[in-house]
Amino acid sequence: MIKEKYFLLTTLIAIISALITYYYSQFHYDGHHYSLVFDHSLDFINGKKPFKEIFLIYGIGTVLFHSLAIIIFGEHLQSLMLFTSIIYSLSLIFIFFLSNKFINKNYSFYLVLIIFLIHPVVEYPWANYLVFFLFLFALNLIFLSNKTLFTFSCLLIGFCSLIRIEIILYILSIFLYISYMSFRNKDFNQNFKFGKNLYFLVISFLPIIFFLIYLKSNDLLEYYKNFFSLPEIFLEHKNTNVFNLFLNLIKYLYFFKFSKFFFEPYLLIFAFSLIFNLYYIFKCLVFSLNNEKLTVKKNTIVCCISNFNTFYYTIFK
């Protein structure tokens, strides 16, 4: 009964978050974050071609989800906020289930409570929330140790790259990391075989392949290529480069006034998360070089948390 209490409390937090978000959305409007994605989805429903007749900031997956929200909840801005609030609330529940694989249910609840207190409501109907939801859903399916569900989870992670294209980098980093550890450490290879890792990569890329086929068959591939010129245009406009942007990120996370913590408390979590990731990745590399034994739990923590925290940073920024 006590164990179920923490799940019920987590569910209550998720419901409160959805209700507050819906109430908040009635009085808050952002012409960029709200109207832009709403217009994209409405144009897509009306038959306009993506990348040719619709300028998409993120991927086609965002448009598909938001179009579904408009069809279900109606043709108004709050439909997107209602849909996103449900997505975020479910994500909080998924965090509870996922963290419970490693820690007790009471600590899992406290984790959800802390995240809720830091980020209680959905600010915008933005792509980050969709990626966060799908990634958490996929991780929970992976832990069920079912081949069919594992395949489906790979497809979900691959579909995330159609929402935000940079997810491809995360998919490749997972593949390269596990491949390296599999070759360097026999114990690791017993739990994370290279064949399964390659299967993950292939299945994850299927949504991307089908998307490229769709673009080619509809003569949209050339228009889609223009999408990748945006970062270069941004760098030229700001008169900067990728290295300087990275330095600015480090300064933003680790060198800010203490008073800023009270207005943006999540910065402290991000800073510790990055340090935590680097520590565990370094620790696993040391294990692999020394051919020391790694437990399944340690393997799983490193593979999942190092990527989960990346998505956690993505959604709140």
Side-chain angles (χ1 to χ4, degrees):
M1 182 66 182
I2 296 177
K3 293 182 178 179
E4 295 300 327
K5 176 183 71 175
Y6 291 110
F7 169 70
L8 293 175
L9 289 173
T10 301
T11 304
L12 179 62
I13 288 177
I15 294 173
I16 291 174
S17 174
L19 293 176
I20 295 176
T21 296
Y22 187 73
Y23 178 79
Y24 162 82
S25 66
Q26 297 180 73
F27 308 100
H28 177 76
Y29 174 74
D30 185 319
H32 172 66
H33 293 91
Y34 280 58
S35 297
L36 194 63
V37 293
F38 180 79
D39 287 342
H40 289 169
S41 303
L42 202 59
D43 288 341
F44 183 78
I45 292 174
N46 292 330
K48 290 187 178 181
K49 295 184 178 180
F51 305 105
K52 181 180 180 180
E53 298 174 308
I54 311 173
F55 177 75
L56 301 181
I57 294 182
Y58 291 116
I60 189 68
T62 304
V63 175
L64 293 176
F65 270 110
H66 288 162
S67 297
L68 179 64
I70 291 174
I71 293 173
I72 295 175
F73 299 114
E75 194 175 306
H76 47 85
L77 287 173
Q78 275 195 291
S79 295
L80 300 186
M81 287 300 292
L82 176 60
F83 177 77
T84 310
S85 68
I86 295 173
I87 290 295
Y88 181 59
S89 297
L90 290 175
S91 298
L92 293 176
I93 296 175
F94 288 155
I95 290 173
F96 174 83
F97 285 127
L98 182 62
S99 61
N100 193 45
K101 305 294 182 181
F102 312 109
I103 57 180
N104 295 331
K105 287 189 176 182
N106 55 334
Y107 293 126
S108 298
F109 165 72
Y110 295 142
L111 174 61
V112 173
L113 179 62
I114 291 171
I115 294 174
F116 169 75
L117 292 176
I118 293 174
H119 195 84
V121 301
V122 173
E123 293 185 86
Y124 317 109
W126 216 231
N128 302 356
Y129 294 101
L130 302 176
V131 171
F132 195 57
F133 166 77
L134 291 179
F135 188 77
L136 287 170
F137 187 28
L139 280 181
N140 277 278
L141 292 180
I142 288 175
F143 279 101
L144 294 178
S145 301
N146 181 284
K147 187 175 181 179
T148 302
L149 293 179
F150 177 76
T151 301
F152 183 61
S153 66
C154 294
L155 290 173
L156 289 177
I157 293 175
F159 188 80
C160 287
S161 61
L162 300 184
I163 298 175
R164 295 195 62 150
I165 191 64
E166 58 267 28
I167 303 302
I168 293 178
L169 299 178
Y170 302 147
I171 294 174
L172 291 175
S173 67
I174 294 172
F175 173 76
L176 293 175
Y177 174 77
I178 295 180
S179 298
Y180 171 79
M181 294 296 293
S182 298
F183 283 116
R184 291 294 307 177
N185 191 283
K186 293 181 180 179
D187 183 65
F188 192 101
N189 185 49
Q190 290 177 358
N191 301 313
F192 294 87
K193 296 184 182 298
F194 178 76
K196 188 175 184 180
N197 188 29
L198 183 62
Y199 181 81
F200 159 78
L201 181 68
V202 172
I203 299 300
S204 297
F205 268 82
L206 283 180
I208 303 171
I209 293 172
F210 285 125
F211 173 61
L212 293 176
I213 293 174
Y214 162 78
L215 293 176
K216 183 66 176 178
S217 60
N218 288 274
D219 298 322
L220 298 174
L221 193 58
E222 291 299 321
Y223 295 97
Y224 182 64
K225 290 179 181 178
N226 296 331
F227 179 79
F228 295 95
S229 64
L230 293 178
E232 184 178 352
I233 295 173
F234 173 82
L235 293 176
E236 290 180 358
H237 177 70
K238 295 293 184 179
N239 194 25
T240 185
N241 54 57
V242 176
F243 180 73
N244 287 333
L245 290 178
F246 177 75
L247 290 180
N248 289 335
L249 173 63
I250 299 300
K251 291 178 182 178
Y252 184 75
L253 286 177
Y254 294 98
F255 302 98
F256 56 87
K257 294 180 180 179
F258 184 76
S259 60
K260 196 174 183 179
F261 168 75
F262 293 98
F263 299 99
E264 299 179 87
Y266 52 80
L267 291 177
L268 191 60
I269 294 180
F270 298 153
F272 279 117
S273 295
L274 291 176
I275 295 173
F276 179 81
N277 292 340
L278 292 174
Y279 167 74
Y280 267 99
I281 291 174
F282 173 77
K283 189 174 181 179
C284 271
L285 291 176
V286 172
F287 271 122
S288 68
L289 291 174
N290 295 331
N291 288 321
E292 296 182 33
K293 186 176 181 179
L294 287 169
T295 64
V296 176
K297 193 171 184 178
K298 285 182 178 178
N299 293 337
T300 308
I301 289 175
V302 173
C303 294
C304 294
I305 293 183
S306 62
N307 288 281
F308 171 73
N309 280 325
T310 304
F311 282 95
Y312 182 74
Y313 176 79
T314 300
I315 181 175
F316 294 123
K317 288 305 294 172

